Protein backbone atom coordinates (compact mmCIF):
# COMPACT_ATOMS: atom_id res chain seq x y z
CA UNK A 1 0.00 0.00 0.00
CA UNK A 2 1.48 3.35 -1.04
CA UNK A 3 1.50 6.63 0.83
CA UNK A 4 -1.42 7.95 -1.24
CA UNK A 5 -3.50 4.94 -0.36
CA UNK A 6 -2.79 5.38 3.32
CA UNK A 7 -3.82 9.07 3.20
CA UNK A 8 -7.08 8.29 1.40
CA UNK A 9 -8.05 5.56 3.80
CA UNK A 10 -10.86 6.72 6.12
CA UNK A 11 -10.04 6.36 9.75
CA UNK A 12 -12.64 4.35 11.61
CA UNK A 13 -13.81 5.58 15.01
CA UNK A 14 -13.77 3.06 17.80
CA UNK A 15 -17.18 1.61 18.52
CA UNK A 16 -18.76 2.81 21.76
CA UNK A 17 -20.57 0.25 23.86
CA UNK A 18 -24.05 1.13 25.20
CA UNK A 19 -24.09 2.14 28.85
CA UNK A 20 -25.43 -0.23 31.39
CA UNK A 21 -28.67 0.59 33.19
CA UNK A 22 -28.17 1.56 36.82
CA UNK A 23 -28.80 -1.21 39.28
CA UNK A 24 -31.67 -0.25 41.62
CA UNK A 25 -30.68 -0.21 45.23
CA UNK A 26 -32.66 -2.49 47.49
CA UNK A 27 -35.05 -0.68 49.82
CA UNK A 28 -33.98 -0.33 53.37
CA UNK A 29 -35.76 -2.48 55.88
CA UNK A 30 -36.22 -2.69 59.60
CA UNK A 31 -34.58 -0.04 61.77
CA UNK A 32 -32.82 1.57 58.79
CA UNK A 33 -36.16 2.16 57.04
CA UNK A 34 -37.82 3.45 60.22
CA UNK A 35 -34.98 5.94 60.66
CA UNK A 36 -35.39 7.04 57.04
CA UNK A 37 -39.15 7.53 57.49
CA UNK A 38 -38.56 9.60 60.64
CA UNK A 39 -36.36 11.97 58.63
CA UNK A 40 -38.94 12.38 55.87
CA UNK A 41 -41.33 15.32 56.23
CA UNK A 42 -45.01 14.47 56.44
CA UNK A 43 -46.91 16.98 54.22
CA UNK A 44 -49.83 17.08 56.63
CA UNK A 45 -47.54 17.82 59.55
CA UNK A 46 -45.86 20.61 57.58
CA UNK A 47 -49.25 22.24 56.88
CA UNK A 48 -50.48 21.93 60.46
CA UNK A 49 -47.18 23.26 61.80
CA UNK A 50 -47.46 26.27 59.48
CA UNK A 51 -51.01 26.95 60.70
CA UNK A 52 -49.86 26.75 64.31
CA UNK A 53 -47.05 29.19 63.59
CA UNK A 54 -49.46 31.65 61.91
CA UNK A 55 -51.75 31.40 64.94
CA UNK A 56 -48.87 32.06 67.34
CA UNK A 57 -48.99 28.55 68.79
CA UNK A 58 -46.10 26.28 69.71
CA UNK A 59 -45.45 23.38 67.37
CA UNK A 60 -46.74 20.65 69.68
CA UNK A 61 -48.77 17.54 68.92
CA UNK A 62 -51.89 18.97 70.63
CA UNK A 63 -51.64 22.31 68.83
CA UNK A 64 -51.17 20.58 65.48
CA UNK A 65 -54.27 18.52 66.21
CA UNK A 66 -56.22 21.71 67.01
CA UNK A 67 -55.16 23.17 63.66
CA UNK A 68 -57.23 20.58 61.78
CA UNK A 69 -60.30 22.81 62.10
CA UNK A 70 -61.52 23.63 58.58
CA UNK A 71 -61.74 27.35 59.28
CA UNK A 72 -58.02 27.57 60.03
CA UNK A 73 -57.25 26.59 56.45
CA UNK A 74 -57.74 30.16 55.26
CA UNK A 75 -56.84 33.62 56.50
CA UNK A 76 -60.42 34.68 57.26
CA UNK A 77 -60.96 31.70 59.54
CA UNK A 78 -57.68 32.27 61.35
CA UNK A 79 -58.65 35.90 61.94
CA UNK A 80 -62.00 34.80 63.37
CA UNK A 81 -60.42 32.27 65.74
CA UNK A 82 -57.79 34.78 66.86
CA UNK A 83 -60.45 37.32 67.80
CA UNK A 84 -63.14 35.10 69.35
CA UNK A 85 -63.63 32.23 71.73
CA UNK A 86 -64.42 28.84 70.19
CA UNK A 87 -68.22 29.12 70.39
CA UNK A 88 -68.41 32.55 68.82
CA UNK A 89 -65.72 31.67 66.29
CA UNK A 90 -67.68 28.62 65.14
CA UNK A 91 -70.82 30.75 64.75
CA UNK A 92 -69.07 33.51 62.80
CA UNK A 93 -67.32 30.97 60.59
CA UNK A 94 -70.67 29.39 59.70
CA UNK A 95 -71.95 32.82 58.67
CA UNK A 96 -68.85 33.60 56.64
CA UNK A 97 -68.82 30.16 55.00
CA UNK A 98 -72.51 30.48 54.12
CA UNK A 99 -71.98 33.86 52.50
CA UNK A 100 -68.89 32.91 50.49
CA UNK A 101 -70.23 29.50 49.43
CA UNK A 102 -73.40 31.14 48.12
CA UNK A 103 -71.36 33.70 46.18
CA UNK A 104 -69.19 30.98 44.65
CA UNK A 105 -72.18 28.83 43.69
CA UNK A 106 -74.04 31.78 42.14
CA UNK A 107 -70.96 32.80 40.18
CA UNK A 108 -70.42 29.27 38.87
CA UNK A 109 -74.01 28.26 38.04
CA UNK A 110 -75.51 31.61 36.99
CA UNK A 111 -72.60 33.71 35.72
CA UNK A 112 -70.56 30.80 34.42
CA UNK A 113 -67.42 32.03 36.17
CA UNK A 114 -65.32 30.57 38.94
CA UNK A 115 -64.17 32.67 41.88
CA UNK A 116 -61.26 30.31 42.44
CA UNK A 117 -58.18 29.42 40.43
CA UNK A 118 -58.78 26.68 37.89
CA UNK A 119 -56.84 23.45 38.15
CA UNK A 120 -56.86 20.11 36.40
CA UNK A 121 -59.30 17.55 37.70
CA UNK A 122 -60.37 14.07 36.77
CA UNK A 123 -64.06 13.36 36.61
CA UNK A 124 -64.86 9.83 37.80
CA UNK A 125 -68.16 8.05 38.12
CA UNK A 126 -68.44 6.34 41.52
CA UNK A 127 -68.60 2.58 41.39
CA UNK A 128 -71.44 0.82 43.17
CA UNK A 129 -69.13 -0.39 45.94
CA UNK A 130 -68.03 3.20 46.56
CA UNK A 131 -71.52 4.41 47.52
CA UNK A 132 -73.27 4.11 50.85
CA UNK A 133 -76.89 3.82 51.88
CA UNK A 134 -76.78 7.21 53.63
CA UNK A 135 -75.40 9.04 50.57
CA UNK A 136 -77.64 11.87 49.40
CA UNK A 137 -76.91 12.64 45.74
CA UNK A 138 -78.15 15.94 44.31
CA UNK A 139 -81.09 14.93 42.12
CA UNK A 140 -82.14 18.47 41.22
CA UNK A 141 -82.36 19.44 37.58
CA UNK A 142 -80.12 22.17 36.18
CA UNK A 143 -83.05 24.61 36.26
CA UNK A 144 -83.70 23.81 39.92
CA UNK A 145 -80.03 24.27 40.79
CA UNK A 146 -80.03 27.59 38.95
CA UNK A 147 -83.17 28.79 40.74
CA UNK A 148 -81.91 27.73 44.17
CA UNK A 149 -78.54 29.43 43.57
CA UNK A 150 -80.29 32.69 42.65
CA UNK A 151 -82.62 32.52 45.67
CA UNK A 152 -79.78 31.79 48.11
CA UNK A 153 -77.65 34.56 46.61
CA UNK A 154 -80.53 37.06 46.88
CA UNK A 155 -81.16 36.02 50.51
CA UNK A 156 -77.52 36.52 51.55
CA UNK A 157 -77.30 39.78 49.62
CA UNK A 158 -80.32 40.91 51.58
CA UNK A 159 -78.57 40.03 54.86
CA UNK A 160 -75.39 41.88 54.03
CA UNK A 161 -77.39 44.77 52.61
CA UNK A 162 -78.49 45.62 56.18
CA UNK A 163 -74.90 46.54 57.07
CA UNK A 164 -73.26 49.92 56.60
CA UNK A 165 -71.17 50.31 53.46
CA UNK A 166 -67.88 50.28 55.39
CA UNK A 167 -68.91 47.00 57.07
CA UNK A 168 -69.75 45.44 53.72
CA UNK A 169 -66.41 46.60 52.36
CA UNK A 170 -64.58 45.10 55.34
CA UNK A 171 -66.11 41.67 54.66
CA UNK A 172 -65.63 41.66 50.90
CA UNK A 173 -62.04 42.90 51.20
CA UNK A 174 -61.14 39.75 53.15
CA UNK A 175 -63.38 37.38 51.20
CA UNK A 176 -61.78 38.48 47.92
CA UNK A 177 -58.20 38.44 49.27
CA UNK A 178 -57.65 42.15 48.79
CA UNK A 179 -56.07 42.64 52.23
CA UNK A 180 -54.53 40.42 54.89
CA UNK A 181 -56.51 40.04 58.14
CA UNK A 182 -53.58 38.82 60.27
CA UNK A 183 -49.85 39.42 60.45
CA UNK A 184 -47.44 37.61 62.75
CA UNK A 185 -50.27 36.00 64.72
CA UNK A 186 -52.06 39.31 65.35
CA UNK A 187 -55.07 40.92 63.74
CA UNK A 188 -54.40 43.75 61.34
CA UNK A 189 -56.69 46.77 61.20
CA UNK A 190 -58.61 45.28 58.24
CA UNK A 191 -58.82 42.03 60.22
CA UNK A 192 -60.40 43.76 63.22
CA UNK A 193 -62.89 45.57 61.00
CA UNK A 194 -63.71 42.27 59.29
CA UNK A 195 -64.51 40.48 62.56
CA UNK A 196 -66.66 43.37 63.82
CA UNK A 197 -68.57 43.48 60.53
CA UNK A 198 -69.05 39.72 60.65
CA UNK A 199 -70.53 40.01 64.14
CA UNK A 200 -73.01 42.55 62.81
CA UNK A 201 -73.87 40.23 59.91
CA UNK A 202 -74.41 37.32 62.33
CA UNK A 203 -76.95 39.43 64.26
CA UNK A 204 -78.81 40.15 61.03
CA UNK A 205 -78.88 36.46 60.13
CA UNK A 206 -80.11 35.51 63.59
CA UNK A 207 -82.90 38.06 63.42
CA UNK A 208 -84.07 36.99 59.97
Amino acid sequence: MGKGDRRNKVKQKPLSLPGLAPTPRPKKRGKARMTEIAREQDPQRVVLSARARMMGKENTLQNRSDMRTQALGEAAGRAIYLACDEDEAAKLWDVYAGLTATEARYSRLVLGKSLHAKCAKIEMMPERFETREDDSPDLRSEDEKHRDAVNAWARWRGYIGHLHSHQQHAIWAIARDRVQPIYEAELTQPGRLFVEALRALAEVVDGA
Side-chain angles (χ1 to χ4, degrees):
M1 183 182 292
K3 292 183 178 179
D5 294 334
R6 288 196 297 269
R7 286 196 298 267
N8 293 333
K9 187 177 181 180
V10 178
K11 293 183 179 180
Q12 293 183 352
K13 295 183 179 179
L15 296 176
S16 58
L17 297 176
L20 298 177
T23 304
R25 294 183 179 180
K27 293 184 178 181
K28 296 180 180 179
R29 298 179 181 277
K31 292 183 179 180
R33 178 53 181 158
M34 295 304 295
T35 303
E36 190 177 65
I37 292 175
R39 288 198 298 264
E40 294 176 352
Q41 285 191 324
D42 177 15
Q44 187 178 70
R45 177 171 180 168
V46 172
V47 171
L48 296 178
S49 297
R51 290 184 184 180
R53 184 174 62 254
M54 287 185 285
M55 293 292 290
K57 305 286 186 180
E58 294 183 1
N59 188 15
T60 63
L61 179 61
Q62 180 60 47
N63 285 338
R64 287 197 302 273
S65 179
D66 294 341
M67 293 301 110
R68 296 179 185 274
T69 303
Q70 181 183 4
L72 300 180
E74 59 179 280
R78 291 191 290 272
I80 292 170
Y81 273 79
L82 274 175
C84 312
D85 59 45
E86 285 196 16
D87 291 339
E88 185 185 22
K91 177 181 177 181
L92 295 187
W93 172 253
D94 285 344
V95 171
Y96 177 78
L99 172 65
T100 53
T102 300
E103 285 288 318
R105 189 161 49 248
Y106 177 85
S107 181
R108 183 179 68 254
L109 295 178
V110 180
L111 303 181
K113 298 179 180 180
S114 176
L115 296 180
H116 309 289
K118 293 183 178 179
C119 60
K121 64 178 180 179
I122 301 176
E123 298 288 356
M124 299 180 64
M125 292 295 293
E127 298 291 341
R128 180 170 299 180
F129 62 83
E130 293 177 342
T131 61
R132 303 181 313 183
E133 293 183 358
D134 60 346
D135 283 340
S136 54
D138 191 348
L139 301 178
R140 295 175 299 169
S141 66
E142 291 301 318
D143 289 341
E144 290 173 331
K145 292 178 181 178
H146 185 282
R147 184 185 66 245
D148 291 344
V150 171
N151 291 339
W153 177 83
R155 183 170 62 253
W156 277 99
R157 283 287 175 153
Y159 294 154
I160 202 169
H162 284 79
L163 304 185
H164 296 293
S165 59
H166 70 275
Q167 293 174 315
Q168 296 182 38
H169 174 77
I171 293 175
W172 292 127
I174 300 300
R176 293 168 181 168
D177 294 323
R178 294 172 181 165
V179 293
Q180 290 299 319
I182 61 174
Y183 179 74
E184 294 185 349
E186 292 186 1
L187 287 175
T188 61
Q189 180 64 14
R192 286 189 288 272
L193 294 175
F194 164 71
V195 174
E196 289 301 323
L198 207 55
R199 283 173 173 148
L201 180 59
E203 291 181 3
V204 173
V205 173
D206 287 342

